[in-house]
Amino acid sequence: MAGVAPQRGQHGRESERLRLDPFVIAGGDARPRDQRDLMERPFFSLSKVKRVAPIFYEAGGQRVEIHGLAEHGMATIWDADVLIWAASQIVEAENAGLRTSRFVRFTPYQLLTAVGRATGAREYRLLKAAFARLQSTVIRTTIRNGEHWRRHQFSWINEWEERMTRDGRVEGMECVLPDWFYRGIIDRSLVLTIDPAYFRLTGGIERWLYRVARKHAGHQPQGWLFEMAHLHEKSGSLARVSDFALDLRRIAARQSLPGYRLAIRREGRRKLLHIRPVNLSTVPVDDGVDGHGISGAGTIGTSGASLSGFQAHEPQLSLWPEMRNRAPNLESNLDSNFLMLGRPDTNGGAGAADRSRDSHTRGPSPMPGDGP
């Protein structure tokens, strides 16, 4: 098997892969898990149409800015399936006592099948487009900034590469995740299990709303109450408030969110959405994770071969010599390419998490706290 491993990344920077030990995903199922910060804030476009208009959102004194390059557009909520899958694999390995890393090696077949995608040539081309958007999207945020104000600037993927066989088939991929995202995964209080049925949701707002429901309503019998206008702001949607509210009413009429039931309420002139959990047994339970979920363009896919090149292979990757991941050790993951503006926080780390609630949830709500 042959593959090209460049020594330097974009713009002449040394590749982070030269400094990080690889985390080789050797196959096997992992319970779907999502990162809590990504579930409650507008980090992704909800449309399949290319979006270059930035997102600005601030709540509870924490700010999020999302910028997409004109060439690729902003990463979408369908593209975020890549991050959900990576988080799921990392948490599963950590729970098993394995050493993980921001440097991840895998086959597209593993990723595509895990998120319910087909595995043909078209899907692989779409997957590469998703990776391009994830890498070109720039995030600036003060979330998890610790005691001192600090802004992180990063992309969802620092770098990525295809690995090919001598006959030209793409069999493996590798990518480097940003430090901000990785540390939000290995801190178990910042990770939630999600229903596998999430990947079958087809609408952008529908997917976003499930993640909001899972984060806020969780397993609370009383659920959570949101004002429509606030949900619109929280989504980052470019649609008019009236059109957005109409979409929510349609979703409520279909009752399509797995594990949750929606109801539209009126309080005076305000329109509210009440989200309540139902059939909680359908939601995966993970004892190792706090019990409290990818882009508008159909952009996930697999190998350029007409038939999947991965179906004939064993679960373990064959392109790389690593057959096992070592015991837990985070030393190789201390560096990243994020930008810190201002004085660095010396007290941060995997456990220094932001646990403040979204203070902009409007209207009196009888429901307590976050989901379990």
Side-chain angles (χ1 to χ4, degrees):
M1 305 289 182
V4 178
Q7 297 299 301
R8 304 188 71 84
Q10 290 185 331
H11 310 300
R13 294 192 303 265
E14 182 182 72
S15 170
E16 289 190 282
R17 290 173 291 177
L18 298 178
R19 298 184 286 104
L20 299 173
D21 293 327
F23 168 47
V24 182
I25 298 176
D29 295 331
R31 295 172 180 174
R33 298 170 174 92
D34 206 347
Q35 210 280 325
R36 291 179 63 178
D37 293 319
L38 274 60
M39 299 169 78
E40 65 171 322
R41 296 177 178 90
F43 279 103
F44 302 97
S45 170
L46 305 184
S47 172
K48 293 184 178 182
V49 177
K50 180 193 291 187
R51 174 170 178 168
V52 294
I55 295 174
F56 300 97
Y57 180 77
E58 186 167 0
Q62 295 175 330
R63 184 174 176 83
V64 170
E65 299 178 19
I66 313 296
H67 300 267
L69 298 183
E71 180 181 0
H72 302 289
M74 184 183 297
T76 69
I77 200 164
W78 289 270
D79 297 336
D81 285 359
V82 172
L83 303 178
I84 293 174
W85 177 78
S88 306
Q89 294 291 336
I90 289 171
V91 172
E92 197 81 6
E94 293 271 336
N95 286 346
L98 299 176
R99 180 178 185 172
T100 63
S101 169
R102 295 187 294 111
F103 176 17
V104 181
R105 284 175 170 170
F106 59 96
T107 67
Y109 180 78
Q110 293 171 318
L111 192 164
L112 292 167
T113 55
V115 300
R117 305 297 179 91
T119 56
R122 177 180 178 274
E123 285 71 29
Y124 178 69
R125 290 194 297 270
L126 295 176
L127 177 61
K128 291 198 293 184
F131 269 79
R133 281 191 295 274
L134 289 166
Q135 185 180 29
S136 64
T137 298
V138 176
I139 302 93
R140 297 173 185 153
T141 182
T142 59
I143 297 172
R144 288 188 259 132
N145 59 355
E147 181 181 356
H148 305 289
W149 189 86
R150 179 171 69 174
R151 182 173 70 172
H152 293 257
Q153 177 169 307
F154 57 92
S155 296
W156 293 123
I157 292 177
N158 291 355
E159 56 178 291
W160 63 281
E161 185 185 17
E162 302 167 309
R163 309 286 289 192
M164 301 180 67
T165 62
R166 288 192 176 91
D167 61 4
R169 291 183 304 162
V170 177
E171 283 198 333
M173 296 183 74
E174 55 187 36
C175 67
V176 177
L177 301 169
D179 182 81
W180 184 90
F181 177 69
Y182 179 76
R183 293 198 170 275
I185 298 170
I186 60 175
D187 183 341
R188 308 306 171 77
S189 68
L190 298 179
V191 178
L192 303 180
T193 55
I194 64 172
D195 196 310
Y198 165 80
F199 296 115
R200 296 197 293 271
L201 297 176
T202 58
I205 294 179
E206 198 173 32
R207 281 173 161 243
W208 166 82
L209 188 59
Y210 171 81
R211 300 172 86 185
V212 169
R214 182 69 184 95
K215 168 62 178 63
H216 288 282
H219 297 161
Q220 299 174 98
Q222 297 299 316
W224 201 268
L225 200 62
F226 283 103
E227 185 173 352
M228 290 282 198
H230 173 55
L231 279 175
H232 177 263
E233 179 185 5
K234 193 177 180 68
S235 73
S237 172
L238 292 174
R240 296 181 302 177
V241 176
S242 58
D243 293 334
F244 180 84
L246 179 60
D247 284 333
L248 294 187
R249 284 195 289 271
R250 288 169 175 165
I251 295 172
R254 293 196 304 269
Q255 295 297 340
S256 55
L257 297 194
Y260 294 93
R261 189 159 187 85
L262 309 178
I264 306 296
R265 291 185 177 182
R266 284 184 177 270
E267 289 186 0
R269 306 179 71 174
R270 297 190 308 161
K271 296 179 181 178
L272 307 172
L273 179 68
H274 188 189
I275 304 174
R276 291 184 296 109
V278 293
N279 301 325
L280 294 181
S281 61
T282 66
V283 180
V285 176
D286 189 334
D287 294 335
V289 177
D290 183 13
H292 286 303
I294 183 157
S295 123
T299 2
I300 298 299
T302 188
S303 163
S306 56
L307 295 177
S308 172
F310 311 113
Q311 294 175 350
H313 293 281
E314 296 297 324
Q316 174 64 44
L317 297 182
S318 59
L319 292 179
W320 301 285
E322 296 86 350
M323 299 300 289
R324 291 180 178 273
N325 294 295
R326 293 190 284 172
N329 185 341
L330 302 181
E331 291 180 358
S332 65
N333 297 298
L334 295 178
D335 298 324
S336 73
N337 69 342
F338 66 71
L339 174 67
M340 294 188 298
L341 302 180
R343 185 169 48 164
D345 173 23
T346 58
N347 298 320
D354 162 38
R355 292 172 175 79
S356 63
R357 297 181 193 147
D358 188 331
S359 61
H360 287 81
T361 301
R362 296 170 186 161
S365 173
M367 281 63 80
D370 243 351

